[in-house]
Amino acid sequence: MGPILYLDIDGVLARRQPLPPFELDKALPARLAEDLNCGAIRRLDPVLVNEVVHGFDARACQLIRQICEECSAGIIITSSWRHVFSPQELKAILSIVGLGDYVLGSVPGGISRPDVIHASLEELGTADFAVVDDMDMRHDFGVRSVVPEAVFDEVCARKVRRLFKIYGH
C-alpha cells in the first residue's frame, strides 16, 4: 500500500466562496458518465454535478492527481460530505475531477475528524500519510497536517511530496 492522503473537500478542492454564476446543464451527468466511462456519475443529481464542475478548483484537483500518480497514493475522504453522500457517490463525485480512481473510501462519521483519522491510521497500520484539510489539525498530526490558505496549491503539493518522501515513499 502506498501513502494515504486524508482529504477534505471544502477549502481544499473547492473554494469556500459562492459559486460563479452558471447555467444548469441537466444533461451534464450523462455526458460526463459517457466521456469519463463512469456510469455512477449518471446517477448523481444534475445540480450537484454542475456545482462540482463549476466549483472545484481545476488546479487543486490536478495537483492532488499528480501526487497520487507520482507517489502511488490513495485518498480517504474526511470531508463532511461523507455525512451526505455514500462512499460510491463520493467516488463518482471525485471521478468528475479525475480523482475517483484514487479514492480508497471515507472515514466513518460520528466522532471528531482527528479521532476518525487516528482510528483509520490504526486500522490500516500505516505511518505514511498526510492530512489535507482547511481545519488546522497540527495539534493532532503535527507536520503531517497540511492546511491550504484558500485551496490546495503548489505550496501544499510540495509539502505533501516532501512528507511522503521523508516518511516512507
Side-chain angles (χ1 to χ4, degrees):
M1 173 174 58
I4 302 295
L5 197 55
Y6 287 93
L7 190 65
D8 186 21
I9 294 176
D10 293 318
V12 176
L13 299 179
R15 293 182 184 276
R16 287 193 169 274
Q17 57 191 7
L19 286 171
F22 65 89
E23 189 161 329
L24 180 65
D25 180 352
K26 292 181 182 177
L28 186 58
R31 277 200 320 278
L32 287 175
E34 179 77 24
D35 292 349
L36 300 173
N37 195 29
C38 179
I41 295 171
R42 186 182 313 273
R43 294 185 292 276
L44 295 173
D45 183 285
V47 174
L48 171 66
V49 173
N50 278 265
E51 287 177 349
V52 169
V53 167
H54 296 286
F56 277 41
D57 186 271
R59 182 66 179 144
C61 295
Q62 178 186 38
L63 288 166
I64 295 286
R65 187 171 47 257
Q66 288 171 349
I67 288 168
C68 289
E69 289 171 0
E70 292 166 14
C71 302
S72 300
I75 295 171
I76 296 181
I77 303 299
T78 59
S79 172
S80 59
W81 288 41
R82 74 190 194 279
H83 299 293
V84 179
F85 302 105
S86 71
Q88 297 81 11
E89 290 170 321
L90 287 170
K91 188 169 184 139
I93 290 166
L94 290 183
S95 292
I96 295 168
V97 294
L99 296 174
D101 289 343
Y102 307 104
V103 175
L104 302 174
S106 59
V107 293
I111 53 178
S112 77
R113 199 173 293 182
D115 288 345
V116 294
I117 294 170
H118 280 296
S120 173
L121 287 166
E122 198 170 302
E123 180 181 321
L124 294 171
T126 186
D128 196 2
F129 72 95
V131 176
V132 181
D133 200 304
D134 65 333
M135 181 172 80
D136 189 344
M137 289 190 267
R138 287 178 281 203
H139 177 73
D140 298 284
F141 300 104
V143 297
R144 293 174 195 250
S145 176
V146 179
V147 184
E149 286 200 27
V151 71
F152 192 84
D153 59 15
E154 284 80 4
V155 172
C156 296
R158 277 193 302 277
K159 182 172 181 180
V160 170
R161 285 183 178 104
R162 188 171 52 247
L163 287 168
F164 288 167
K165 185 176 180 180
I166 291 169
Y167 292 106
H169 177 70

